[in-house]
Amino acid sequence: MSYQQLKEQVYEANMALVQAGLVVLTWGNASGVDRAAGVMAIKPSGVAYDKLRPEHIVVLSLETGEIVDGSGRPSSDTPTHLHLSRQFPSIGGIVHTHSTCGTSFAQALRDIPCLGTTHADNFYGSIPCSREMTAAEIETDYELNTGRVIVECFAQRKIDPANVPGVVVASHAPFAWGSTPAKAVENAIVLEFTAQMALHTFALNPNIKPAPQVLIDKHFLRKHGPKAYYGQANYAR
Ligand SMILES: [Zn+2]
């Protein structure tokens, strides 16, 4: 893939976040990885979405973080995206938003539990809430440490980031990812809707428990993995 193609994919993903209503002002960013080329492309810092153009997307070395194409400064969240892209080799795109319902779970320091099949179709179990960061982690290398606590959360809880393509970062907001920037956007949209449904479900029944594991297994595994039979062959997530 050329840098130009990657920049266009990342531009489209950033604009799709606005269209989906997940982003207001400049609160959000999307990135994409080209592993063959060893690069990650990301939205520039502080550029209004109505002014954003594909040529503004910044391309960095995945290994060193140095800019290899583009004149602007990359998003301030770039160290988080770089860390996740390096540590989760199955992913090809990352999205960060402050979408209302997902962020509400982050602020409440709560996982988004798998209460039904809408959630289980896309996320295999709870979408975890990472631990609160320490003062030292916040004061120094904050954005890199945000990536580290996400990776730590998935490692400690033995969650495969390919099966649960998102997280809510404690007192902050969601990150979601996917095999491409477009799939990361789709997963960010599903994360927000499942969070919204979970809020309504808890309002109706505060004591509700997660959906039965057999039902979660059925819905996730019929769409993902070696035994998938839903939709068309070669469905990329
Ligand atoms: Zn943020």
Side-chain angles (χ1 to χ4, degrees), residues 21 31 72 85 141 161 196 208 210 224 226:
S31 65
S85 295
D141 293 332
Q196 188 178 41
I208 194 71
H224 308 282

Side-chain angles (χ1 to χ4, degrees), residues 27-29 77 96-98 142 172-175:
W27 308 343
N29 39 67
D77 291 321
H96 174 50
T97 79
H98 288 207
Y142 169 63
H172 186 173
F175 281 81

Side-chain angles (χ1 to χ4, degrees), residues 81-221:
H81 288 247
L82 275 174
H83 191 70
L84 294 180
S85 295
R86 291 169 182 154
Q87 296 295 317
F88 294 163
S90 64
I91 68 179
I94 300 170
V95 161
H96 174 50
T97 79
H98 288 207
S99 61
T100 311
C101 299
T103 300
S104 300
F105 276 85
Q107 294 184 168
L109 309 180
R110 285 189 64 168
D111 292 358
I112 306 173
C114 187
L115 300 179
T117 64
T118 321
H119 181 128
D121 279 335
N122 292 273
F123 292 86
Y124 196 18
S126 294
I127 298 168
C129 180
S130 60
R131 70 164 169 80
E132 291 176 271
M133 294 167 72
T134 66
E137 286 171 331
I138 294 166
E139 282 166 0
T140 306
D141 293 332
Y142 169 63
E143 292 82 7
L144 172 58
N145 288 329
T146 300
R148 285 176 172 151
V149 296
I150 295 170
V151 172
E152 177 193 298
C153 172
F154 278 68
Q156 283 189 347
R157 294 176 60 172
K158 297 186 170 49
I159 303 170
D160 182 344
N163 288 344
V164 179
V167 66
V168 289
V169 174
S171 311
H172 186 173
F175 281 81
W177 47 82
S179 57
T180 64
K183 291 303 296 183
V185 172
E186 188 180 316
N187 288 329
I189 293 170
V190 176
L191 184 152
E192 177 61 10
F193 270 86
T194 58
Q196 188 178 41
M197 290 176 192
L199 286 173
H200 291 316
T201 306
F202 282 127
L204 291 164
N205 182 352
N207 301 316
I208 194 71
K209 296 284 181 278
Q213 189 64 43
V214 62
L215 185 63
I216 294 172
D217 288 347
K218 169 58 73 179
H219 269 262
F220 187 82
L221 298 174

